[in-house]
Amino acid sequence: MLDTGYGTGSRPTTARHRPEPNGGAEPAETPYDLVTVPARQGLEAVDILRLRHSVGPVLHDGTGDTLGFLVPPGTADGWDLPGSVCTPTYRRGGPLADPPITGAGWLVSPKDAHTGTTEPARLRAALGEAARTIAAAEGRDRNRPRTLP
């Protein structure tokens, strides 16, 4: 699972960035939320979003088990899609070039994304369609008659 560094709660467990005491401020935090899902469902959803709408940056964890979709800040407050988790995430300012989570890489990098974040309602619909597609494919595999060699 992608580790956002903020534990399992819905809010970050670390202190928020504050300007340096000398009056010089470091870059501000950039907020976004991160929806993590199993990789198979996430890959299907990326394809659906690319074909029909637009997809924002997408992370993959180092083991390839999960994908993380960057969504607008505040999405976590109302996210309740079973099989997924939405976590508020913060990073220090500047362009989002390097993956903001240690050990993660880009499946869809910010420069290749169609938009800065994925629209939550479209992501929810794509994840639902992806889950139904996977379930249908698994059902076909179980019901397919076996042939003898």
Side-chain angles (χ1 to χ4, degrees), residues 65-91:
D65 292 334
T66 58
L67 294 184
F69 292 82
L70 274 61
V71 294
T75 302
D77 294 338
W79 192 264
D80 62 353
L81 187 66
S84 67
V85 176
C86 187
T87 309
T89 307
Y90 300 86
R91 66 179 289 282

Side-chain angles (χ1 to χ4, degrees), residues 35-118:
V35 174
T36 54
V37 297
R40 185 171 178 195
Q41 183 181 14
L43 290 170
E44 290 284 344
V46 166
D47 287 344
I48 292 165
L49 288 165
R50 280 182 169 162
L51 288 171
R52 298 192 187 139
H53 305 290
S54 61
V55 64
V58 180
L59 293 164
H60 64 83
D61 66 357
T63 62
D65 292 334
T66 58
L67 294 184
F69 292 82
L70 274 61
V71 294
T75 302
D77 294 338
W79 192 264
D80 62 353
L81 187 66
S84 67
V85 176
C86 187
T87 309
T89 307
Y90 300 86
R91 66 179 289 282
R92 297 221 174 164
L96 191 63
D98 294 325
I101 298 177
T102 304
W106 291 116
L107 177 69
V108 178
S109 73
K111 68 179 179 129
D112 295 330
H114 299 110
T115 183
T117 58
T118 300

Side-chain angles (χ1 to χ4, degrees), residues 8-34:
T8 58
S10 63
R11 297 284 176 233
T13 57
T14 59
R16 294 192 58 119
H17 170 72
R18 290 181 181 78
E20 294 178 359
N22 65 5
E26 292 181 26
E29 289 181 335
T30 304
Y32 56 87
D33 290 357
L34 184 71

